[in-house]
Amino acid sequence: MKVKKHRRLTLKERIQIETLLNENRSKAYIAKQLKRSRSTITREVNKLVGNTNDKYDAHLSHWCAKDDYLNKRILDKISTHKPLKHFVYKGLLSEWTPEQISGRIKELYPNDPIMSISHEA
């Protein structure tokens, strides 16, 4: 069984999308040319093109995608708030379960939005 590897669109592919859209090609045609899923092309185009008057810009799209990818990894709540990070790590070192940690936080800090977290996080 071959495992599918999800790979991001490259700038070259985005430029091809922009060129083919300017030639009024369909998203299905573009997907076939790039050997990508039609839904991938549709999602990519719909991110930037809200109105029919808007044009797809490959360079802007690539910059936004790169920015989203870089920022996605650093915005978790535990890393952002030191008191919460300290409490969670202290609980893990005390061999509490994630459910116990989130429950204890809810008991000790009932009205503090920063000191709230789910057991999944």
Side-chain angles (χ1 to χ4, degrees):
M1 184 168 114
K2 187 176 180 181
V3 177
K4 287 185 180 182
K5 182 178 179 186
H6 298 282
R7 54 189 174 93
R8 290 173 180 75
L9 289 170
T10 63
L11 178 59
K12 182 180 175 183
E13 289 174 317
R14 287 186 171 98
I15 290 171
Q16 288 176 313
I17 292 170
E18 181 179 0
T19 304
L20 292 170
L21 284 173
N22 289 336
E23 294 174 1
N24 293 323
R25 300 291 186 163
S26 70
K27 292 172 186 161
Y29 177 84
I30 296 169
K32 194 172 187 180
Q33 293 299 310
L34 296 176
K35 296 181 175 77
R36 293 289 192 141
S37 167
R38 186 176 69 211
S39 63
T40 300
I41 304 302
T42 302
R43 270 194 311 271
E44 176 67 20
V45 172
N46 290 344
K47 276 187 211 172
L48 286 182
V49 181
N51 301 332
T52 54
N53 299 336
D54 293 341
K55 290 280 188 179
Y56 178 80
D57 183 355
H59 292 283
L60 177 62
S61 178
H62 190 69
W63 183 84
C64 289
K66 199 165 114 179
D67 189 54
D68 287 346
Y69 175 72
L70 292 174
N71 289 333
K72 174 170 92 171
R73 304 220 180 303
I74 58 172
L75 294 179
D76 65 352
K77 191 172 183 180
I78 295 174
S79 296
T80 307
H81 303 290
K82 288 196 186 280
L84 179 62
K85 182 178 182 178
H86 179 71
F87 191 92
V88 169
Y89 286 167
K90 185 178 169 186
L92 290 172
L93 290 172
S94 300
E95 297 182 359
W96 293 351
T97 65
E99 290 82 4
Q100 288 173 322
I101 294 170
S102 67
R104 187 70 52 98
I105 287 176
K106 288 175 188 170
E107 288 176 5
L108 296 175
Y109 306 97
N111 298 321
D112 190 352
I114 290 174
M115 292 297 286
S116 66
I117 196 162
S118 71
H119 68 278
E120 294 158 349

Coordinates of all heavy atoms in Angstrom, one line a residue, residues 27-101:
K27 N -11.0 24.9 -12.6 CA -10.2 24.4 -11.5 C -9.9 22.9 -11.7 O -8.8 22.5 -11.4 CB -10.9 24.7 -10.2 CG -10.9 26.2 -9.9 CD -11.8 26.5 -8.7 CE -11.9 28.0 -8.5 NZ -13.0 28.3 -7.7
A28 N -10.8 22.2 -12.3 CA -10.6 20.8 -12.6 C -9.5 20.6 -13.6 O -8.6 19.7 -13.5 CB -11.9 20.2 -13.2
Y29 N -9.4 21.5 -14.7 CA -8.4 21.4 -15.6 C -7.0 21.8 -15.0 O -6.0 21.1 -15.3 CB -8.7 22.4 -16.8 CG -7.6 22.5 -17.8 CD1 -7.5 21.6 -18.9 CD2 -6.6 23.5 -17.8 CE1 -6.5 21.7 -19.8 CE2 -5.6 23.6 -18.7 CZ -5.6 22.7 -19.7 OH -4.6 22.7 -20.7
I30 N -7.0 22.8 -14.2 CA -5.8 23.2 -13.5 C -5.3 22.0 -12.6 O -4.1 21.7 -12.6 CB -6.0 24.4 -12.6 CG1 -6.3 25.6 -13.5 CG2 -4.8 24.8 -11.8 CD1 -6.8 26.9 -12.8
A31 N -6.2 21.4 -11.9 CA -5.8 20.3 -11.0 C -5.2 19.1 -11.8 O -4.2 18.5 -11.4 CB -7.0 19.8 -10.2
K32 N -5.8 18.9 -13.0 CA -5.3 17.8 -13.8 C -3.9 18.1 -14.3 O -3.0 17.3 -14.4 CB -6.2 17.6 -15.0 CG -6.0 16.3 -15.7 CD -7.2 16.1 -16.7 CE -7.0 14.7 -17.4 NZ -8.1 14.5 -18.3
Q33 N -3.7 19.4 -14.7 CA -2.4 19.8 -15.2 C -1.3 19.7 -14.1 O -0.1 19.3 -14.4 CB -2.4 21.2 -15.7 CG -3.3 21.4 -17.0 CD -2.8 20.6 -18.1 OE1 -1.6 20.6 -18.5 NE2 -3.7 19.8 -18.7
L34 N -1.6 20.0 -12.9 CA -0.7 20.0 -11.8 C -0.6 18.7 -11.1 O 0.2 18.5 -10.2 CB -1.0 21.1 -10.8 CG -0.9 22.6 -11.3 CD1 -1.4 23.5 -10.2 CD2 0.5 22.9 -11.7
K35 N -1.4 17.8 -11.5 CA -1.5 16.4 -10.8 C -1.8 16.6 -9.4 O -1.2 16.0 -8.5 CB -0.2 15.6 -11.1 CG 0.0 15.3 -12.5 CD 1.2 14.5 -12.7 CE 1.4 14.0 -14.1 NZ 1.9 15.0 -15.0
R36 N -2.8 17.4 -9.1 CA -3.3 17.7 -7.7 C -4.8 17.5 -7.7 O -5.5 17.4 -8.7 CB -3.0 19.2 -7.4 CG -1.6 19.6 -7.2 CD -1.0 19.0 -6.0 NE 0.3 19.6 -5.7 CZ 0.7 19.8 -4.5 NH1 0.0 19.5 -3.4 NH2 1.9 20.3 -4.3
S37 N -5.3 17.4 -6.5 CA -6.7 17.2 -6.3 C -7.4 18.5 -6.6 O -6.9 19.6 -6.4 CB -7.0 16.9 -4.8 OG -8.3 17.0 -4.5
R38 N -8.6 18.4 -7.2 CA -9.4 19.6 -7.5 C -9.7 20.4 -6.3 O -9.8 21.6 -6.3 CB -10.7 19.2 -8.2 CG -11.5 20.3 -8.8 CD -12.7 19.9 -9.6 NE -13.7 19.3 -8.7 CZ -14.5 18.4 -9.0 NH1 -14.5 17.9 -10.2 NH2 -15.4 17.9 -8.1
S39 N -10.0 19.7 -5.1 CA -10.3 20.4 -3.9 C -9.1 21.2 -3.4 O -9.3 22.3 -2.8 CB -10.7 19.4 -2.8 OG -9.7 18.5 -2.5
T40 N -7.9 20.7 -3.7 CA -6.7 21.5 -3.3 C -6.6 22.8 -4.0 O -6.4 23.9 -3.4 CB -5.4 20.7 -3.6 OG1 -5.4 19.5 -2.9 CG2 -4.1 21.5 -3.2
I41 N -6.9 22.8 -5.3 CA -6.9 24.0 -6.1 C -8.0 24.9 -5.7 O -7.8 26.1 -5.6 CB -7.0 23.6 -7.6 CG1 -5.9 22.6 -8.1 CG2 -7.0 24.9 -8.5 CD1 -4.5 23.1 -7.8
T42 N -9.2 24.3 -5.5 CA -10.3 25.2 -5.1 C -10.1 25.9 -3.8 O -10.3 27.1 -3.6 CB -11.6 24.3 -5.0 OG1 -11.8 23.6 -6.2 CG2 -12.8 25.1 -4.6
R43 N -9.5 25.1 -2.8 CA -9.2 25.7 -1.5 C -8.2 26.9 -1.6 O -8.3 27.9 -1.0 CB -8.7 24.7 -0.5 CG -9.7 24.0 0.3 CD -9.1 23.2 1.5 NE -8.0 22.4 1.1 CZ -8.1 21.1 0.7 NH1 -9.3 20.6 0.6 NH2 -7.1 20.4 0.4
E44 N -7.2 26.6 -2.4 CA -6.1 27.6 -2.7 C -6.7 28.9 -3.3 O -6.4 30.0 -2.8 CB -5.1 27.0 -3.6 CG -3.9 27.9 -4.0 CD -3.1 28.3 -2.8 OE1 -3.0 27.6 -1.8 OE2 -2.4 29.4 -2.9
V45 N -7.5 28.7 -4.3 CA -8.1 29.9 -4.9 C -9.0 30.6 -4.0 O -9.0 31.9 -3.9 CB -8.7 29.5 -6.3 CG1 -9.4 30.7 -6.9 CG2 -7.6 29.0 -7.2
N46 N -9.9 29.9 -3.3 CA -10.9 30.5 -2.5 C -10.3 31.2 -1.3 O -11.0 32.1 -0.7 CB -11.9 29.5 -2.0 CG -12.8 29.0 -3.2 OD1 -12.9 29.6 -4.2 ND2 -13.5 27.9 -3.0
K47 N -9.1 30.9 -0.9 CA -8.5 31.6 0.3 C -8.4 33.1 0.0 O -8.5 33.9 0.8 CB -7.1 31.1 0.5 CG -7.1 29.8 1.4 CD -5.6 29.5 1.7 CE -5.5 28.0 1.9 NZ -4.1 27.7 2.1
L48 N -8.0 33.4 -1.3 CA -7.7 34.8 -1.6 C -8.8 35.5 -2.4 O -9.0 36.7 -2.4 CB -6.4 35.0 -2.4 CG -5.1 34.8 -1.6 CD1 -3.9 35.0 -2.5 CD2 -5.0 35.8 -0.5
V49 N -9.6 34.7 -3.2 CA -10.6 35.3 -4.1 C -11.9 35.2 -3.4 O -12.6 34.2 -3.4 CB -10.6 34.6 -5.4 CG1 -11.6 35.2 -6.4 CG2 -9.2 34.6 -6.1
G50 N -12.4 36.3 -2.8 CA -13.7 36.3 -2.2 C -14.7 36.8 -3.1 O -15.8 36.2 -3.2
N51 N -14.5 37.8 -3.9 CA -15.4 38.4 -4.8 C -15.1 38.0 -6.3 O -13.9 37.5 -6.5 CB -15.4 39.9 -4.8 CG -15.8 40.4 -3.4 OD1 -16.5 39.8 -2.6 ND2 -15.3 41.6 -3.1
T52 N -16.0 38.1 -7.2 CA -15.7 37.8 -8.6 C -14.8 38.9 -9.2 O -14.1 38.6 -10.2 CB -17.0 37.8 -9.4 OG1 -17.7 39.0 -9.2 CG2 -17.9 36.6 -9.0
N53 N -14.7 40.0 -8.5 CA -13.8 41.1 -9.0 C -12.3 40.8 -8.6 O -11.4 41.4 -9.2 CB -14.2 42.4 -8.5 CG -15.6 42.8 -9.0 OD1 -16.1 42.3 -10.0 ND2 -16.3 43.7 -8.2
D54 N -12.1 40.0 -7.6 CA -10.7 39.8 -7.1 C -10.0 38.8 -8.1 O -10.6 38.0 -8.7 CB -10.8 39.1 -5.7 CG -11.3 40.0 -4.7 OD1 -11.3 41.2 -4.9 OD2 -11.7 39.5 -3.6
K55 N -8.7 39.0 -8.1 CA -7.8 38.2 -8.9 C -6.9 37.4 -8.0 O -6.4 37.9 -7.0 CB -7.0 39.0 -9.9 CG -7.7 39.7 -11.0 CD -8.0 38.7 -12.1 CE -8.5 39.4 -13.3 NZ -8.8 38.5 -14.4
Y56 N -6.6 36.2 -8.4 CA -5.7 35.3 -7.7 C -4.3 35.8 -7.9 O -3.9 36.1 -9.0 CB -5.8 33.9 -8.1 CG -4.9 32.9 -7.4 CD1 -5.1 32.5 -6.2 CD2 -3.7 32.5 -8.1 CE1 -4.3 31.6 -5.5 CE2 -2.8 31.7 -7.4 CZ -3.1 31.2 -6.2 OH -2.2 30.4 -5.6
D57 N -3.5 36.0 -6.8 CA -2.1 36.5 -6.9 C -1.2 35.4 -6.3 O -1.3 35.1 -5.1 CB -1.9 37.8 -6.2 CG -0.5 38.4 -6.3 OD1 0.3 37.7 -6.9 OD2 -0.3 39.5 -5.8
A58 N -0.4 34.8 -7.2 CA 0.4 33.7 -6.7 C 1.4 34.1 -5.6 O 1.6 33.4 -4.7 CB 1.2 33.1 -7.9
H59 N 2.1 35.2 -5.8 CA 3.1 35.7 -4.8 C 2.5 36.0 -3.5 O 3.0 35.6 -2.4 CB 3.9 36.8 -5.4 CG 4.8 36.5 -6.6 ND1 5.9 35.8 -6.5 CD2 4.6 36.6 -7.9 CE1 6.5 35.6 -7.6 NE2 5.6 36.1 -8.5
L60 N 1.4 36.7 -3.5 CA 0.7 37.0 -2.3 C 0.2 35.7 -1.6 O 0.3 35.6 -0.4 CB -0.5 37.9 -2.5 CG -1.4 38.3 -1.3 CD1 -0.5 39.0 -0.3 CD2 -2.6 39.1 -1.8
S61 N -0.4 34.8 -2.4 CA -0.8 33.5 -1.8 C 0.3 32.7 -1.2 O 0.2 32.2 -0.1 CB -1.5 32.7 -2.9 OG -1.9 31.5 -2.4
H62 N 1.4 32.7 -1.9 CA 2.6 32.0 -1.3 C 3.1 32.6 -0.1 O 3.4 31.9 0.9 CB 3.7 31.9 -2.4 CG 4.8 31.0 -2.1 ND1 4.7 29.6 -2.0 CD2 6.1 31.2 -1.7 CE1 5.8 29.1 -1.7 NE2 6.7 30.0 -1.5
W63 N 3.2 33.9 0.0 CA 3.6 34.6 1.2 C 2.7 34.3 2.4 O 3.1 34.0 3.5 CB 3.7 36.1 0.9 CG 4.2 36.9 2.1 CD1 5.5 37.1 2.4 CD2 3.4 37.5 3.1 NE1 5.6 37.8 3.6 CE2 4.4 38.0 4.1 CE3 2.1 37.6 3.3 CZ2 3.9 38.7 5.2 CZ3 1.7 38.3 4.5 CH2 2.6 38.9 5.4
C64 N 1.4 34.4 2.1 CA 0.4 34.1 3.2 C 0.5 32.7 3.7 O 0.4 32.4 4.9 CB -1.0 34.4 2.7 SG -1.4 36.1 2.4
A65 N 0.6 31.7 2.8 CA 0.7 30.3 3.2 C 2.0 30.1 4.0 O 2.0 29.4 5.0 CB 0.7 29.4 1.9
K66 N 3.1 30.7 3.6 CA 4.3 30.5 4.3 C 4.2 31.1 5.7 O 4.6 30.6 6.7 CB 5.5 31.2 3.5 CG 6.8 30.7 3.9 CD 7.8 31.1 2.8 CE 8.8 32.2 3.4 NZ 9.8 32.6 2.4
D67 N 3.6 32.3 5.8 CA 3.4 33.0 7.0 C 2.5 32.2 8.0 O 2.8 32.0 9.2 CB 2.8 34.4 6.8 CG 2.8 35.2 8.0 OD1 3.8 35.4 8.7 OD2 1.7 35.7 8.4
D68 N 1.4 31.6 7.4 CA 0.5 30.8 8.2 C 1.2 29.6 8.8 O 1.1 29.2 9.9 CB -0.7 30.3 7.4 CG -1.7 31.5 7.1 OD1 -1.6 32.5 7.8 OD2 -2.5 31.3 6.2
Y69 N 2.0 29.0 7.9 CA 2.8 27.8 8.3 C 3.8 28.1 9.5 O 3.8 27.3 10.4 CB 3.5 27.1 7.2 CG 4.4 26.0 7.5 CD1 3.8 24.8 7.9 CD2 5.7 26.1 7.6 CE1 4.5 23.7 8.3 CE2 6.5 25.0 7.9 CZ 5.9 23.8 8.3 OH 6.7 22.7 8.6
L70 N 4.5 29.2 9.3 CA 5.5 29.5 10.4 C 4.8 29.9 11.7 O 5.3 29.6 12.7 CB 6.4 30.6 9.8 CG 7.3 30.3 8.7 CD1 8.0 31.5 8.2 CD2 8.3 29.2 9.1
N71 N 3.7 30.6 11.6 CA 3.1 31.1 12.8 C 2.2 30.0 13.5 O 1.9 30.2 14.7 CB 2.2 32.3 12.6 CG 3.1 33.5 12.3 OD1 4.2 33.6 12.7 ND2 2.6 34.4 11.5
K72 N 1.8 29.0 12.8 CA 0.9 28.0 13.3 C 1.5 27.2 14.5 O 0.8 26.9 15.4 CB 0.5 27.1 12.2 CG -0.3 25.9 12.6 CD -0.7 25.1 11.3 CE 0.2 24.1 10.9 NZ -0.3 23.2 9.9
R73 N 2.8 27.1 14.4 CA 3.5 26.2 15.4 C 3.8 26.9 16.7 O 4.1 26.2 17.7 CB 4.7 25.7 14.8 CG 4.5 24.9 13.5 CD 5.3 23.7 13.4 NE 5.2 22.9 12.2 CZ 4.1 22.3 11.8 NH1 2.9 22.6 12.3 NH2 4.1 21.6 10.7
I74 N 3.8 28.2 16.8 CA 4.2 28.9 18.0 C 3.1 29.5 18.8 O 3.3 30.2 19.8 CB 5.2 30.0 17.7 CG1 4.7 31.0 16.7 CG2 6.5 29.3 17.2 CD1 5.6 32.2 16.5
L75 N 1.8 29.4 18.3 CA 0.7 30.1 19.0 C -0.1 29.2 19.9 O -1.2 29.5 20.2 CB -0.2 30.7 18.0 CG 0.5 31.8 17.1 CD1 -0.5 32.3 16.1 CD2 0.9 32.9 18.0
D76 N 0.5 28.1 20.5 CA -0.3 27.3 21.4 C -0.3 28.0 22.8 O 0.5 28.8 23.1 CB 0.3 25.9 21.5 CG 1.7 25.8 22.1 OD1 2.3 26.9 22.3 OD2 2.1 24.7 22.4
K77 N -1.4 27.7 23.5 CA -1.7 28.4 24.7 C -0.7 28.1 25.8 O -0.3 29.0 26.6 CB -3.1 28.1 25.2 CG -3.6 29.0 26.3 CD -5.1 28.7 26.5 CE -5.6 29.6 27.6 NZ -7.0 29.4 27.8
I78 N -0.2 26.9 25.9 CA 0.7 26.5 27.0 C 2.0 27.2 26.8 O 2.6 27.7 27.8 CB 0.9 25.0 27.0 CG1 -0.4 24.3 27.4 CG2 2.0 24.6 28.0 CD1 -0.4 22.8 27.3
S79 N 2.5 27.3 25.6 CA 3.8 27.9 25.4 C 3.7 29.5 25.6 O 4.7 30.1 26.0 CB 4.4 27.6 24.0 OG 4.6 26.3 23.9
T80 N 2.6 30.0 25.3 CA 2.4 31.5 25.4 C 2.3 32.0 26.8 O 2.8 33.1 27.1 CB 1.1 31.9 24.6 OG1 1.2 31.3 23.3 CG2 1.0 33.4 24.4
H81 N 1.7 31.3 27.7 CA 1.4 31.8 29.0 C 2.2 31.0 30.1 O 2.0 29.8 30.3 CB -0.1 31.7 29.4 CG -0.9 32.4 28.4 ND1 -1.0 33.8 28.4 CD2 -1.8 32.0 27.5 CE1 -1.8 34.2 27.4 NE2 -2.3 33.1 26.8
K82 N 3.2 31.7 30.7 CA 4.2 31.0 31.6 C 3.5 30.4 32.8 O 3.9 29.3 33.2 CB 5.3 31.9 32.0 CG 6.2 32.2 30.8 CD 7.5 32.8 31.3 CE 8.4 33.2 30.2 NZ 9.2 32.2 29.6
P83 N 2.6 31.1 33.5 CA 1.9 30.4 34.6 C 1.2 29.1 34.3 O 1.3 28.1 35.0 CB 1.0 31.5 35.2 CG 1.4 32.8 34.6 CD 2.1 32.4 33.3
L84 N 0.6 29.1 33.1 CA -0.1 27.9 32.7 C 0.9 26.8 32.4 O 0.7 25.7 32.7 CB -1.0 28.2 31.5 CG -1.8 27.1 30.9 CD1 -2.8 26.5 31.9 CD2 -2.5 27.5 29.6
K85 N 1.9 27.2 31.7 CA 3.0 26.2 31.3 C 3.6 25.6 32.6 O 3.8 24.4 32.7 CB 4.1 26.9 30.5 CG 5.2 26.1 30.0 CD 6.1 26.9 29.2 CE 7.3 26.0 28.6 NZ 8.2 26.8 27.8
H86 N 3.9 26.4 33.6 CA 4.4 26.0 34.8 C 3.5 25.0 35.5 O 3.9 23.9 36.0 CB 4.7 27.2 35.7 CG 5.3 26.8 37.0 ND1 6.6 26.3 37.2 CD2 4.8 26.8 38.3 CE1 6.8 26.1 38.5 NE2 5.7 26.4 39.2
F87 N 2.2 25.3 35.6 CA 1.2 24.5 36.2 C 1.1 23.1 35.5 O 1.1 22.1 36.2 CB -0.1 25.2 36.3 CG -1.1 24.5 37.1 CD1 -1.3 24.9 38.5 CD2 -1.9 23.5 36.7 CE1 -2.2 24.2 39.3 CE2 -2.8 22.8 37.5 CZ -3.0 23.2 38.8
V88 N 1.0 23.1 34.2 CA 0.9 21.9 33.4 C 2.1 21.0 33.6 O 2.0 19.8 33.8 CB 0.6 22.2 31.9 CG1 0.7 21.0 31.1 CG2 -0.7 22.9 31.7
Y89 N 3.3 21.6 33.4 CA 4.5 20.8 33.6 C 4.7 20.2 35.0 O 5.1 19.1 35.2 CB 5.7 21.6 33.2 CG 5.9 21.8 31.7 CD1 6.8 22.7 31.2 CD2 5.1 21.1 30.8 CE1 6.9 22.9 29.8 CE2 5.2 21.3 29.4 CZ 6.1 22.2 28.9 OH 6.3 22.4 27.6
K90 N 4.3 21.1 36.0 CA 4.4 20.6 37.4 C 3.4 19.4 37.6 O 3.8 18.4 38.2 CB 4.0 21.7 38.3 CG 4.1 21.4 39.8 CD 3.8 22.7 40.6 CE 3.6 22.4 42.0 NZ 3.1 23.5 42.8
G91 N 2.2 19.5 37.0 CA 1.3 18.4 37.1 C 1.8 17.1 36.4 O 1.6 16.0 36.9
L92 N 2.4 17.3 35.2 CA 2.9 16.2 34.5 C 4.1 15.5 35.3 O 4.2 14.3 35.3 CB 3.4 16.6 33.1 CG 2.3 16.9 32.1 CD1 2.9 17.5 30.8 CD2 1.4 15.7 31.8
L93 N 4.9 16.3 35.9 CA 6.0 15.8 36.7 C 5.5 15.1 37.9 O 6.2 14.2 38.4 CB 7.0 16.9 37.1 CG 7.8 17.4 35.9 CD1 8.7 18.6 36.4 CD2 8.8 16.3 35.4
S94 N 4.3 15.5 38.4 CA 3.7 14.8 39.6 C 2.9 13.6 39.1 O 2.2 13.0 39.9 CB 2.8 15.8 40.3 OG 3.5 16.9 40.7
E95 N 3.0 13.3 37.8 CA 2.3 12.1 37.2 C 0.8 12.2 37.3 O 0.1 11.2 37.4 CB 2.8 10.8 37.9 CG 4.3 10.6 37.7 CD 4.8 9.2 38.2 OE1 4.0 8.5 38.8 OE2 6.0 9.0 38.1
W96 N 0.3 13.4 37.2 CA -1.1 13.6 37.0 C -1.5 13.3 35.6 O -0.7 13.5 34.7 CB -1.5 15.0 37.3 CG -1.4 15.5 38.8 CD1 -1.1 14.7 39.8 CD2 -1.5 16.8 39.3 NE1 -1.0 15.5 41.0 CE2 -1.2 16.8 40.6 CE3 -1.8 18.0 38.7 CZ2 -1.3 17.9 41.4 CZ3 -1.9 19.1 39.5 CH2 -1.6 19.1 40.8
T97 N -2.7 12.9 35.4 CA -3.2 12.7 34.0 C -3.7 14.0 33.4 O -3.9 15.0 34.2 CB -4.5 11.8 34.0 OG1 -5.5 12.4 34.7 CG2 -4.2 10.4 34.6
P98 N -3.8 14.2 32.1 CA -4.2 15.4 31.6 C -5.6 15.9 32.1 O -5.9 17.0 32.3 CB -4.3 15.1 30.1 CG -3.2 14.1 29.8 CD -3.3 13.2 31.1
E99 N -6.5 14.9 32.3 CA -7.8 15.2 32.8 C -7.7 15.8 34.3 O -8.4 16.7 34.6 CB -8.7 13.9 32.9 CG -9.1 13.4 31.5 CD -8.0 12.6 30.8 OE1 -7.0 12.3 31.4 OE2 -8.3 12.2 29.7
Q100 N -6.8 15.2 35.1 CA -6.6 15.8 36.4 C -6.0 17.2 36.4 O -6.4 18.0 37.2 CB -5.6 14.9 37.2 CG -6.2 13.5 37.6 CD -5.2 12.6 38.2 OE1 -4.0 12.6 37.8 NE2 -5.6 11.8 39.2
I101 N -5.1 17.4 35.5 CA -4.5 18.8 35.4 C -5.6 19.8 35.0 O -5.7 20.8 35.6 CB -3.3 18.8 34.3 CG1 -2.2 17.9 34.9 CG2 -2.8 20.2 34.1 CD1 -1.1 17.6 33.8

